[in-house]
């Protein structure tokens, strides 16, 4: 991370509210007035700095959050959106046109997979899904029409790790844009500092952290963010995935505790992963030496924030996975729910939930088994107690 500490960047931001409040004032307006017709014209043309046009384009509240997350990721600018998919889809449509090609990781969020597999072909945009951990395979998939390499820092749900530095070199070599979804690893990894052109987050997850808001963000160069917001040709402006100002203000407040939460998520996940692996379970967690990309990921992260809060456990069959999740929920160990980053542990079987868009034969090919449970480990204060309670559930079901 070269001494780049994203939490410090967030800490150093200071915004004053309209009346001197320590929280910036919330702009509760959909449209904004101009003192002159000339200024309105200049704003439509993109030539009036600091003026607001219409909240679908930008608003003061959203720009506060834009600046904070751009600082966190070390990019020139950012643009928040109403969902993670509202960040991903305009980005790829802005970068690609009819006849273009994308090389994507095969293990990505199911919604992103469905967008690339089923939706973008309608516009003549094709995607090759590859094992992103093998740079030679990635390069072999690049064609003269390729415009984008797309990956997740840590993939959903198999927790494969992308070599961002290596992928960035390929992108430069072939004049491509490297787009990285960093949702699973905020603060731990800064992809833009490793050569990524664009960094995306689902704000719904760790950054907001309270499972009460859906949101997304695109981080990149000022030129690219301006292109997304262009009133004539910007995908974000024209498709309209606008974040509400009240939600933006809520995410902004939660962002301030992200560093504390990520440390606890990572500590708890490392504890459980180590314990359960020692118990003989099939665990995937980047912090374990058994993870195939452990050394790579260790070299990428800011160690202060650890290896993240996501881990998987393979219990063999979908029936056994469902039994375990239902029992753990009954024992108040967490929720049988999708998403991640909540204060309580969340667990789901991704093959039948968050990755269900991926055909079964492709799930098997990539190693997504029926019995795989994805855990988003919570902020439990006594993680030893949590471990013992989870182990009791597994013992009852003859998993251990």
């Amino acid at each position: 991370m070269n001494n780049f500490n994203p939490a410090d960047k967030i800490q150093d931001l200071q915004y004053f509210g309209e009346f001197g409040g320590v929280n910036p004032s919330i702009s509760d307006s959909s449209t904004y007035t101009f003192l002159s017709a000339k200024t309105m014209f200049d704003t439509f043309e993109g030539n009036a700095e600091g003026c607001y046009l219409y909240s679908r384009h930008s608003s003061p509240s959203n720009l506060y959050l834009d600046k904070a997350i751009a600082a966190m990721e070390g990019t020139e600018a950012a643009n928040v959106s109403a969902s993670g998919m509202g960040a991903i889809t305009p980005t790829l449509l802005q970068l690609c046109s009819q006849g273009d090609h994308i090389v994507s990781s095969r293990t990505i969020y199911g919604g992103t997979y469905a967008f690339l597999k089923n939706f973008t072909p309608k516009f003549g945009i094709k995607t090759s899904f590859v094992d992103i951990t093998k740079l030679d395979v990635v390069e072999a998939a690049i064609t003269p029409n390729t415009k984008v390499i797309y990956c997740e820092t840590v993939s959903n749900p198999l927790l494969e790790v992308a070599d961002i530095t290596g992928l960035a070199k390929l992108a430069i070599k072939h004049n491509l844009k490297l787009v990285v979804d960093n949702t699973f690893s905020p603060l731990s990894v800064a992809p833009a500092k490793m050569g990524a052109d664009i960094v995306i987050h689902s704000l719904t997850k760790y950054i907001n952290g309270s499972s009460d808001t859906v949101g997304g963000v695109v981080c990149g160069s000022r030129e690219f963010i301006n292109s997304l917001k262009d009133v004539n040709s910007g995908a974000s402006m024209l498709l309209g995935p606008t974040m509400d100002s009240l939600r933006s203000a809520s995410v902004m407040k939660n962002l301030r505790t992200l560093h504390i939460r990520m440390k606890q998520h990572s500590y708890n996940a490392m504890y459980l992963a180590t314990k359960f692996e020692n118990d003989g379970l099939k665990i995937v967690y980047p912090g374990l030496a058994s993870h195939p990309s452990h050394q790579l990921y260790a070299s990428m992260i800011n160690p202060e924030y650890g290896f993240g809060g996501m881990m998987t456990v393979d219990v063999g069959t979908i029936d056994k996975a469902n039994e375990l999740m239902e029992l753990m929920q009954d024992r108040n160990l967490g929720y049988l729910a999708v998403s991640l980053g909540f204060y309580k542990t969340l667990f789901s079987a991704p093959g039948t939930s968050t990755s269900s868009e991926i055909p079964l034969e492709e799930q098997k090919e990539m190693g997504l088994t029926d019995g795989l449970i994805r855990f988003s480990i919570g902020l439990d204060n006594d993680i030893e107690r949590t471990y013992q309670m989870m182990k009791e559930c597994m013992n009852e079901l003859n998993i251990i």
Side-chain angles (χ1 to χ4, degrees):
M1 297 277 279
N2 296 323
N3 298 319
F4 174 75
N5 194 319
D8 290 346
K9 298 298 182 182
I10 297 170
Q11 179 70 35
D12 290 344
L13 292 169
Q14 287 194 176
Y15 301 130
F16 293 96
E18 185 178 358
F19 303 104
V22 294
N23 288 312
S25 301
I26 299 172
S27 172
D28 196 21
S29 295
S30 61
T31 192
Y32 300 86
T33 189
F34 294 89
L35 298 181
S36 73
K38 175 66 166 59
T39 306
M40 177 182 279
F41 172 80
D42 288 342
T43 303
F44 263 99
E45 294 297 305
N47 299 322
E49 186 71 27
C51 291
Y52 298 97
L53 175 66
Y54 183 57
S55 285
R56 177 158 55 86
H57 182 256
S58 66
S59 70
S61 295
N62 285 1
L63 286 177
Y64 287 133
L65 186 56
D66 288 345
K67 291 178 181 178
I69 298 179
M72 182 188 84
E73 285 295 348
T75 60
E76 291 177 348
N79 185 47
V80 295
S81 60
S83 70
M85 289 302 294
I88 293 166
T89 55
T91 294
L92 294 174
L93 292 175
Q94 192 73 27
L95 292 171
C96 298
S97 302
Q98 185 175 8
D100 288 342
H101 176 251
I102 297 169
V103 176
S104 170
S105 170
R106 63 182 183 174
T107 58
I108 51 175
Y109 170 58
T112 311
Y113 177 90
F115 176 69
L116 293 175
K117 180 83 171 185
N118 305 326
F119 196 84
T120 55
K122 298 178 184 179
F123 302 98
I125 301 169
K126 296 181 179 179
T127 301
S128 296
F129 296 95
V130 301
D131 184 343
I132 206 71
T133 66
K134 298 176 180 177
L135 294 179
D136 58 335
V137 173
V138 175
E139 186 165 27
I142 295 171
T143 75
N145 294 328
T146 305
K147 292 294 187 292
V148 171
I149 297 175
Y150 182 89
C151 69
E152 297 170 349
T153 306
V154 181
S155 75
N156 183 4
L158 297 182
L159 309 185
E160 293 179 343
V161 176
D163 180 353
I164 295 172
T165 301
L167 292 169
K169 290 177 181 177
L170 283 182
I172 292 169
K173 178 180 176 181
H174 295 276
N175 194 29
L176 311 176
K177 296 296 184 184
L178 175 59
V179 180
V180 179
D181 183 335
N182 200 37
T183 297
F184 276 25
S185 43
L187 303 185
S188 291
V189 181
K193 295 297 182 180
M194 304 170 72
D197 296 288
I198 297 163
V199 181
I200 290 172
H201 283 275
S202 169
L203 299 178
T204 312
K205 314 303 193 300
Y206 283 117
I207 289 177
N208 186 57
S210 52
S211 291
D212 61 356
T213 293
V214 176
V217 67
V218 184
C219 308
S221 67
R222 171 59 63 188
E223 179 183 12
F224 181 70
I225 298 303
N226 284 347
S227 75
L228 280 175
K229 297 165 71 173
D230 187 280
V231 295
N232 296 307
S233 60
S236 287
M237 179 63 176
L238 298 176
L239 294 174
T242 309
M243 175 170 268
D244 178 76
S245 291
L246 293 171
R247 287 304 188 187
S248 187
S250 176
V251 175
M252 183 75 175
K253 292 169 186 173
N254 288 342
L255 178 66
R256 297 164 184 162
T257 64
L258 178 62
H259 62 295
I260 299 170
R261 293 184 280 112
M262 287 310 300
K263 291 175 185 179
Q264 192 67 26
H265 283 303
S266 293
Y267 174 83
N268 285 352
M270 186 69 179
Y271 185 95
L272 291 177
T274 302
K275 286 284 193 178
F276 284 129
E277 186 174 63
N278 290 338
D279 288 332
L281 289 175
K282 187 178 179 181
I283 306 292
V284 175
Y285 180 67
L288 296 176
S290 58
H291 191 286
S293 298
H294 171 69
Q295 292 300 327
L296 170 65
Y297 199 51
S299 71
M300 291 168 54
I301 66 170
N302 184 328
E304 184 176 353
Y305 306 106
F307 291 88
M310 304 300 297
M311 75 175 198
T312 68
V313 180
D314 194 334
V315 297
T317 67
I318 186 62
D319 290 339
K320 190 66 72 174
N322 290 339
E323 280 186 288
L324 177 59
M325 291 187 292
E326 290 170 4
L327 183 57
M328 288 191 297
Q329 180 168 257
D330 187 60
R331 302 283 171 85
N332 298 329
L333 283 163
Y335 296 106
L336 206 175
V338 299
S339 200
L340 52 125
F342 194 44
Y343 86 101
K344 289 277 282 187
T345 293
L346 304 178
F347 30 83
S348 60
T352 55
S353 58
T354 55
S355 296
S356 59
E357 297 92 338
I358 302 173
L360 289 176
E361 62 274 12
E362 294 183 30
Q363 291 186 24
K364 291 178 181 177
E365 184 180 337
M366 67 178 62
L368 179 49
T369 60
D370 287 344
L372 192 78
I373 301 174
R374 190 192 74 173
F375 284 82
S376 168
I377 303 302
L379 300 173
D380 307 36
N381 178 60
D382 186 349
I383 195 63
E384 167 64 21
R385 171 177 175 267
T386 299
Y387 163 67
Q388 293 296 344
M389 292 175 67
M390 284 185 173
K391 189 174 181 180
E392 286 176 12
C393 293
M394 294 177 184
N395 281 328
E396 285 185 34
L397 298 175
N398 297 315
I399 293 170
I400 295 180

